[in-house]
Amino acid sequence: MIGRALRVAAVLLVGLGVVSACGSSDRPRELSVSDVKPCDLINSESLQGMRITQEVQKADSVPGIDTEGSTCFYSISTGNSIYVSTVTNHGIGRWTDPPFDRARSEEGSRIQGFRTIKVWYETERPKPDGRCRVYVDVAGGQSLRVEVDQSYSDEDPSTCTTARRFAEAAMRTLAA
Protein backbone atom coordinates (compact mmCIF):
# COMPACT_ATOMS: atom_id res chain seq x y z
CA MET A 1 0.00 0.00 0.00
CA ILE A 2 2.77 2.46 0.89
CA GLY A 3 4.69 1.47 -2.24
CA ARG A 4 1.63 2.16 -4.38
CA ALA A 5 1.12 5.56 -2.72
CA LEU A 6 4.77 6.43 -3.33
CA ARG A 7 4.50 5.44 -7.00
CA VAL A 8 1.36 7.57 -7.43
CA ALA A 9 3.07 10.51 -5.69
CA ALA A 10 6.16 10.11 -7.90
CA VAL A 11 4.04 10.06 -11.05
CA LEU A 12 2.18 13.17 -9.92
CA LEU A 13 5.40 15.02 -9.07
CA VAL A 14 7.03 14.10 -12.39
CA GLY A 15 3.88 15.14 -14.24
CA LEU A 16 3.81 18.43 -12.34
CA GLY A 17 7.46 19.04 -13.23
CA VAL A 18 6.79 18.41 -16.92
CA VAL A 19 3.73 20.68 -16.90
CA SER A 20 5.57 23.49 -15.10
CA ALA A 21 8.57 23.19 -17.43
CA CYS A 22 6.31 23.28 -20.47
CA GLY A 23 4.26 26.10 -19.01
CA SER A 24 7.29 28.37 -18.75
CA SER A 25 7.08 28.96 -22.48
CA ASP A 26 4.56 28.19 -25.10
CA ARG A 27 6.95 28.22 -28.06
CA PRO A 28 6.51 25.25 -30.43
CA ARG A 29 10.14 24.16 -29.93
CA GLU A 30 13.58 25.49 -29.01
CA LEU A 31 15.48 27.18 -31.86
CA SER A 32 18.88 28.03 -30.42
CA VAL A 33 20.57 30.99 -32.09
CA SER A 34 23.96 30.49 -30.39
CA ASP A 35 25.72 29.45 -33.60
CA VAL A 36 23.44 31.21 -36.08
CA LYS A 37 24.82 33.94 -38.34
CA PRO A 38 22.09 36.58 -38.75
CA CYS A 39 23.18 37.44 -42.30
CA ASP A 40 22.38 33.85 -43.30
CA LEU A 41 18.77 34.16 -42.06
CA ILE A 42 17.45 36.43 -44.82
CA ASN A 43 17.93 34.73 -48.17
CA SER A 44 18.14 36.58 -51.49
CA GLU A 45 14.62 35.50 -52.47
CA SER A 46 13.23 37.14 -49.32
CA LEU A 47 15.23 40.31 -49.98
CA GLN A 48 13.69 40.78 -53.41
CA GLY A 49 11.12 43.52 -53.23
CA MET A 50 12.50 44.95 -49.98
CA ARG A 51 14.57 47.63 -51.75
CA ILE A 52 17.91 46.69 -50.16
CA THR A 53 20.62 48.91 -51.66
CA GLN A 54 23.84 47.94 -49.87
CA GLU A 55 25.59 44.71 -49.20
CA VAL A 56 24.89 43.39 -45.76
CA GLN A 57 27.30 44.26 -42.99
CA LYS A 58 28.11 41.90 -40.14
CA ALA A 59 28.90 42.68 -36.51
CA ASP A 60 29.91 40.28 -33.77
CA SER A 61 27.81 42.22 -31.27
CA VAL A 62 24.27 43.41 -30.70
CA PRO A 63 23.51 47.07 -29.98
CA GLY A 64 22.08 47.51 -26.50
CA ILE A 65 22.91 47.35 -22.83
CA ASP A 66 24.43 44.04 -21.72
CA THR A 67 23.32 42.24 -24.88
CA GLU A 68 25.33 39.43 -26.48
CA GLY A 69 25.05 37.89 -29.92
CA SER A 70 25.61 39.09 -33.46
CA THR A 71 23.93 41.42 -35.94
CA CYS A 72 23.43 41.86 -39.65
CA PHE A 73 22.78 45.38 -41.03
CA TYR A 74 20.76 46.17 -44.15
CA SER A 75 20.18 49.52 -45.85
CA ILE A 76 17.05 50.42 -47.81
CA SER A 77 17.08 52.79 -50.78
CA THR A 78 15.25 55.46 -48.76
CA GLY A 79 18.06 55.60 -46.19
CA ASN A 80 16.52 53.42 -43.51
CA SER A 81 18.58 50.82 -41.62
CA ILE A 82 17.45 47.38 -40.53
CA TYR A 83 19.25 45.28 -37.92
CA VAL A 84 18.66 41.54 -37.61
CA SER A 85 20.22 40.22 -34.40
CA THR A 86 20.57 36.90 -32.68
CA VAL A 87 20.48 37.64 -28.94
CA THR A 88 22.15 34.85 -26.99
CA ASN A 89 22.01 36.06 -23.40
CA HIS A 90 18.37 36.98 -22.80
CA GLY A 91 14.94 36.09 -24.04
CA ILE A 92 11.86 38.25 -24.39
CA GLY A 93 11.17 37.91 -20.67
CA ARG A 94 13.76 40.67 -20.19
CA TRP A 95 11.22 43.07 -21.63
CA THR A 96 8.11 41.75 -19.92
CA ASP A 97 8.89 40.22 -16.48
CA PRO A 98 9.25 43.07 -15.24
CA PRO A 99 10.13 45.46 -18.05
CA PHE A 100 13.78 46.41 -18.41
CA ASP A 101 14.86 50.01 -17.63
CA ARG A 102 11.72 52.02 -18.52
CA ALA A 103 10.96 49.81 -21.50
CA ARG A 104 7.44 49.08 -22.64
CA SER A 105 6.29 46.08 -24.61
CA GLU A 106 3.24 44.91 -26.49
CA GLU A 107 2.37 41.41 -27.67
CA GLY A 108 2.34 40.89 -31.42
CA SER A 109 0.86 38.15 -33.53
CA ARG A 110 2.91 34.98 -33.53
CA ILE A 111 5.38 34.04 -36.24
CA GLN A 112 5.27 30.33 -37.04
CA GLY A 113 3.81 29.74 -33.58
CA PHE A 114 6.56 31.68 -31.76
CA ARG A 115 5.60 34.54 -29.47
CA THR A 116 6.56 38.07 -30.58
CA ILE A 117 6.66 41.40 -28.78
CA LYS A 118 7.24 44.98 -29.86
CA VAL A 119 9.51 46.96 -27.50
CA TRP A 120 10.06 50.68 -27.07
CA TYR A 121 11.36 52.98 -24.33
CA GLU A 122 9.29 55.57 -22.49
CA THR A 123 11.09 58.34 -24.35
CA GLU A 124 10.20 56.82 -27.75
CA ARG A 125 6.53 57.21 -28.44
CA PRO A 126 5.40 54.42 -30.79
CA LYS A 127 4.48 55.88 -34.18
CA PRO A 128 4.36 54.44 -37.71
CA ASP A 129 7.59 56.09 -38.88
CA GLY A 130 9.51 55.79 -35.56
CA ARG A 131 11.99 53.16 -34.43
CA CYS A 132 10.51 49.69 -34.05
CA ARG A 133 11.99 46.63 -32.31
CA VAL A 134 10.37 43.23 -32.75
CA TYR A 135 11.58 40.31 -30.62
CA VAL A 136 10.78 36.65 -31.30
CA ASP A 137 10.92 34.11 -28.45
CA VAL A 138 13.06 31.40 -30.10
CA ALA A 139 14.59 29.60 -27.10
CA GLY A 140 15.02 29.85 -23.35
CA GLY A 141 17.25 32.86 -22.67
CA GLN A 142 17.55 33.69 -26.39
CA SER A 143 15.67 35.77 -28.92
CA LEU A 144 15.69 37.03 -32.47
CA ARG A 145 15.51 40.83 -32.68
CA VAL A 146 14.71 42.94 -35.72
CA GLU A 147 15.09 46.68 -35.33
CA VAL A 148 14.14 49.26 -37.94
CA ASP A 149 15.23 52.87 -37.61
CA GLN A 150 13.06 55.82 -38.47
CA SER A 151 11.34 55.78 -41.85
CA TYR A 152 12.37 58.64 -44.12
CA SER A 153 9.87 58.26 -46.93
CA ASP A 154 6.10 58.30 -47.22
CA GLU A 155 6.52 55.43 -49.67
CA ASP A 156 7.87 53.13 -46.97
CA PRO A 157 5.57 50.88 -44.98
CA SER A 158 5.51 51.53 -41.23
CA THR A 159 8.74 50.61 -39.47
CA CYS A 160 6.97 47.84 -37.55
CA THR A 161 5.58 46.38 -40.78
CA THR A 162 9.13 46.26 -42.16
CA ALA A 163 10.47 44.75 -38.91
CA ARG A 164 7.77 42.11 -39.00
CA ARG A 165 8.54 41.22 -42.66
CA PHE A 166 12.22 40.74 -41.82
CA ALA A 167 11.37 38.72 -38.68
CA GLU A 168 9.08 36.46 -40.73
CA ALA A 169 11.79 35.94 -43.39
CA ALA A 170 14.40 35.16 -40.72
CA MET A 171 12.08 32.71 -38.95
CA ARG A 172 11.36 30.86 -42.22
CA THR A 173 15.08 30.09 -42.44
CA LEU A 174 15.62 29.49 -38.73
CA ALA A 175 12.67 27.12 -38.36
CA ALA A 176 13.46 25.14 -41.54
Side-chain angles (χ1 to χ4, degrees):
M1 182 81 148
I2 292 176
R4 181 183 224 177
L6 288 174
R7 282 193 302 270
V8 169
V11 167
L12 288 174
L13 287 174
V14 168
L16 180 61
V18 169
V19 168
S20 65
C22 291
S24 63
S25 171
D26 57 352
R27 71 183 76 84
R29 65 186 190 272
E30 295 274 315
L31 296 174
S32 176
V33 292
S34 295
D35 297 322
V36 172
K37 296 176 182 159
C39 291
D40 293 343
L41 290 176
I42 313 289
N43 61 38
S44 58
E45 183 179 305
S46 295
L47 288 175
Q48 289 178 349
M50 291 191 193
R51 300 186 314 197
I52 300 300
T53 58
Q54 291 184 350
E55 291 293 318
V56 297
Q57 300 171 358
K58 303 171 188 174
D60 291 329
S61 63
V62 178
I65 299 169
D66 194 30
T67 303
E68 297 172 6
S70 55
T71 301
C72 188
F73 304 88
Y74 298 87
S75 293
I76 296 182
S77 59
T78 57
N80 205 347
S81 297
I82 300 164
Y83 308 90
V84 177
S85 304
T86 53
V87 179
T88 58
N89 68 328
H90 63 78
I92 65 173
R94 177 182 197 184
W95 306 105
T96 60
D97 303 325
F100 176 79
D101 193 31
R102 298 174 308 205
R104 302 289 179 255
S105 65
E106 175 182 285
E107 289 283 332
S109 57
R110 291 174 177 265
I111 297 176
Q112 295 194 12
F114 291 85
R115 184 176 167 207
T116 66
I117 59 171
K118 180 171 61 170
V119 174
W120 67 95
Y121 290 96
E122 288 176 349
T123 56
E124 302 169 339
R125 305 248 186 254
K127 52 187 177 178
D129 62 347
R131 180 176 304 221
C132 184
R133 295 174 197 88
V134 172
Y135 285 78
V136 183
D137 180 31
V138 294
Q142 297 185 347
S143 56
L144 173 73
R145 178 178 83 186
V146 178
E147 181 173 334
V148 178
D149 281 341
Q150 179 176 340
S151 177
Y152 297 100
S153 169
D154 291 338
E155 297 173 16
D156 283 347
S158 76
T159 53
C160 286
T161 297
T162 301
R164 174 101 186 158
R165 286 175 54 201
F166 270 77
E168 288 170 346
M171 286 300 293
R172 277 192 297 275
T173 301
L174 189 60

